[in-house]
């Protein structure tokens, strides 16, 4: 018998296990210690290479993701922070509670550079990232010999006389593939047209991120956020060693060919011989924001698909890129993240590395 779990049937696996949690599963827990104290979380292990922590109290953020024993995401010096410590004011308020992690979801009505509109301040990256999921649930679903590990629930952004938006989220992986699927539906329950700014703040960190990494994407049109980011822009796909005091650079990327219906961004680590491939819909998520921060202690690469750039809502409104959602309208977003072991699956890269 082949003892690779991916090749075992459900009954063969049950013969080896009294409780299948020794092979894969979802563990519900509440974090303790420091600013993470009291945060509801799920630890998900697919049994064939992926393990992640998902925070139900932070719109299903994914602070920790590992692939075959190697950490993938970037965790900032804040560590995991419960939403009760969130302060929206200005830029630093958000950053004091931003563990980053493999995924932080930002929005829903504004993201990016803070600003003031009609006397109302919009903080950095909105409030949904610090909003608890309602009716959060987890389950294991069997499809033949494949087990699906599923998390779902919904979160709301709204206030009296303001917007009333809901995001319904379904996150899943299975026991046969090293992939992660995210399905979101955003609905406007209100009676006014609202701005819709949704950002998937994926963050790559060490050891998945080092100077051997290179970015490949068909979001081929690049606009620098500012003059500083324009300096050395031709090298933005190649990462660097840590640099003390490095000032971040940010790029707004889009697909120049409107006939392209399948977007992607790939991070390939030559040293680890591993890759992360994010499949995207460029119509739903027309901008891939790229955040390069090889700063010592803040060593991160953000690959951030969104409905708009991170220049802020005021700038997006001025340049015509701001999206809206009508009363009663539902908009759908789907992302697939594939984790590739290049020692055994190198052929998967050939279609994406040009």
């Amino acid at each position: 018998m082949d003892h690779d779990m991916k090749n075992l049937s459900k009954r063969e696996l049950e013969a080896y296990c009294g409780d299948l949690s020794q092979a894969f599963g979802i563990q519900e827990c509440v974090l303790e210690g420091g600013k993470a104290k009291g945060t509801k979380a799920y630890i998900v292990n697919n049994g064939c290479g992926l393990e992640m922590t998902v925070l139900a109290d932070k719109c299903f953020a994914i602070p920790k993701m590992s692939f075959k024993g190697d950490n993938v995401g970037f965790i900032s010096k804040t560590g995991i922070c419960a939403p009760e410590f969130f302060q929206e004011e200005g830029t630093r308020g958000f950053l004091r509670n931003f563990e980053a992690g493999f995924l932080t979801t930002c929005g829903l009505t504004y993201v990016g550079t803070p600003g003031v509109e009609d006397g109302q301040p919009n903080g950095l990256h909105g409030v949904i990232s610090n909003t608890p999921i309602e009716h959060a649930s987890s389950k294991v679903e069997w499809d033949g010999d494949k087990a699906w590990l599923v998390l779902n629930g919904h979160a709301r952004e709204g206030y009296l006389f303001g917007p009333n938006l809901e995001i319904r989220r379904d996150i899943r992986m299975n026991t046969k593939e090293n992939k992660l699927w995210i399905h979101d539906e955003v609905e406007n329950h209100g009676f006014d047209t609202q701005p819709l700014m949704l950002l998937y703040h994926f963050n790559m960190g060490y050891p998945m991120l080092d100077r051997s990494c290179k970015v490949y994407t068909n979001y081929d049109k690049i606009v620098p956020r500012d003059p500083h980011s324009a300096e050395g822009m031709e090298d933005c796909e190649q990462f660097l060693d840590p640099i003390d005091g490095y000032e971040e650079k940010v790029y707004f990327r889009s697909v120049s060919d409107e006939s392209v219906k399948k977007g992607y961004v790939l991070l390939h680590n030559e040293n680890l011989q591993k890759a992360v491939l994010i499949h995207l819909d460029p119509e739903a998520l027309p901008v891939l924001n790229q955040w390069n921060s090889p700063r010592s202690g803040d060593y991160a690469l953000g690959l951030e698909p969104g409905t708009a750039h991170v220049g802020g809502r005021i700038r997006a409104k001025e340049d015509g890129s701001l999206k809206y959602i009508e009363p009663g309208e539902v908009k759908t977003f789907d992302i697939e993240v594939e984790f590739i072991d290049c020692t055994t699956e190198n052929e998967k890269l050939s279609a994406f590395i040009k």
Side-chain angles (χ1 to χ4, degrees):
M1 181 185 294
D2 186 343
H3 293 286
D4 184 343
M5 196 190 83
K6 290 192 293 186
N7 299 320
L8 295 179
S9 70
K10 179 183 178 184
R11 290 298 291 158
E12 287 171 335
L13 191 58
E14 287 175 335
Y16 282 103
C17 304
D19 186 324
L20 291 180
S21 65
Q22 77 183 62
F24 65 86
I26 305 173
Q27 180 182 7
E28 185 175 353
C29 61
V30 176
L31 303 182
E32 291 291 343
K35 292 174 71 175
K37 183 178 180 181
T39 304
K40 182 178 179 180
Y42 298 93
I43 300 173
V44 187
N45 176 14
N46 79 337
C48 67
L50 292 180
E51 184 169 350
M52 65 179 180
T53 301
V54 183
L55 305 181
D57 283 347
K58 300 192 75 171
C59 197
F60 280 152
I62 305 174
K64 296 183 179 180
M65 171 69 77
S66 66
F67 174 43
K68 294 190 173 180
D70 289 315
N71 174 67
V72 176
F74 165 73
I75 299 179
S76 80
K77 61 194 69 169
T78 70
I80 295 176
C81 294
E84 66 192 79
F85 295 102
F86 174 55
Q87 304 170 23
E88 187 181 7
E89 293 77 12
T91 299
R92 290 184 179 177
F94 176 87
L95 295 179
R96 292 183 191 280
N97 215 49
F98 178 52
E99 65 267 346
F102 179 68
L103 173 63
T104 294
T105 305
C106 303
L108 294 168
T109 59
Y110 52 92
V111 300
T113 303
V116 179
E117 296 181 84
D118 301 323
Q120 174 66 43
N122 296 333
L124 177 65
H125 287 330
V127 299
I128 203 67
S129 63
N130 281 278
T131 302
I133 292 286
E134 300 178 38
H135 300 112
S137 66
S138 65
K139 60 183 175 180
V140 177
E141 297 178 343
W142 284 93
D143 178 13
D145 291 321
K146 180 189 296 184
W148 285 91
L149 312 176
V150 183
L151 303 175
N152 54 46
H154 63 93
R156 296 182 290 176
E157 178 182 338
Y159 55 89
L160 187 64
F161 306 128
N164 185 9
L165 301 187
E166 175 187 61
I167 182 168
R168 296 186 289 271
R169 170 157 290 184
D170 181 282
I171 297 178
R172 60 183 60 212
M173 60 174 62
N174 66 57
T175 55
K176 303 296 184 181
E177 304 167 277
N178 284 314
K179 295 182 180 182
L180 173 71
W181 285 267
I182 300 171
H183 173 77
D184 286 339
E185 296 177 355
V186 178
E187 182 171 357
N188 183 357
H189 290 290
F191 295 87
D192 298 302
T193 300
Q194 295 292 343
L196 175 61
M197 299 188 81
L198 177 60
L199 181 74
Y200 296 86
H201 207 305
F202 288 102
N203 309 285
M204 306 300 162
Y206 183 81
M208 188 65 208
L209 183 69
D210 64 21
R211 71 166 297 121
S212 77
C213 284
K214 193 167 182 181
V215 175
Y216 302 86
T217 179
N218 61 351
Y219 282 71
D220 55 331
K221 182 180 178 181
I222 309 176
V223 176
R225 181 184 64 179
D226 47 44
H228 169 69
S229 299
E231 299 172 4
M233 190 172 69
E234 64 276 7
D235 298 321
C236 68
E237 281 96 1
Q238 186 70 52
F239 218 65
L240 305 170
D241 284 326
I243 302 171
D244 294 355
Y246 185 94
E247 183 181 344
E248 67 178 11
K249 294 184 178 181
V250 177
Y251 306 99
F252 308 151
R253 309 186 68 133
S254 58
V255 178
S256 60
D257 184 352
E258 294 183 359
S259 67
V260 173
K261 302 302 179 185
K262 294 183 178 180
Y264 71 86
V265 58
L266 170 77
L267 180 71
H268 179 222
N269 184 299
E270 184 68 31
N271 285 340
L272 280 186
Q273 283 295 291
K274 291 180 179 178
V276 179
L277 174 60
I278 305 175
H279 298 274
L280 302 164
D281 177 356
E283 182 175 355
L285 299 169
V287 181
L288 175 66
N289 298 277
Q290 181 178 332
W291 169 47
N292 283 27
S293 177
R295 182 186 179 107
S296 300
D298 299 311
Y299 192 77
L301 170 65
L303 300 173
E304 308 166 24
T307 60
H309 56 66
V310 293
R313 195 166 80 179
I314 294 173
R315 180 171 172 178
K317 187 181 296 184
E318 289 174 347
D319 64 25
S321 63
L322 182 61
K323 305 297 183 184
Y324 293 87
I325 184 167
E326 300 298 326
E329 186 178 6
V330 178
K331 294 199 174 188
T332 301
F333 303 89
D334 288 284
I335 295 178
E336 176 186 322
V337 186
E338 185 173 3
F339 301 83
I340 300 171
D341 182 347
C342 302
T343 63
T344 58
E345 305 172 298
N346 196 54
E347 73 284 352
K348 290 184 177 181
L349 302 182
S350 60
F352 305 98
I353 293 182
K354 307 296 186 182

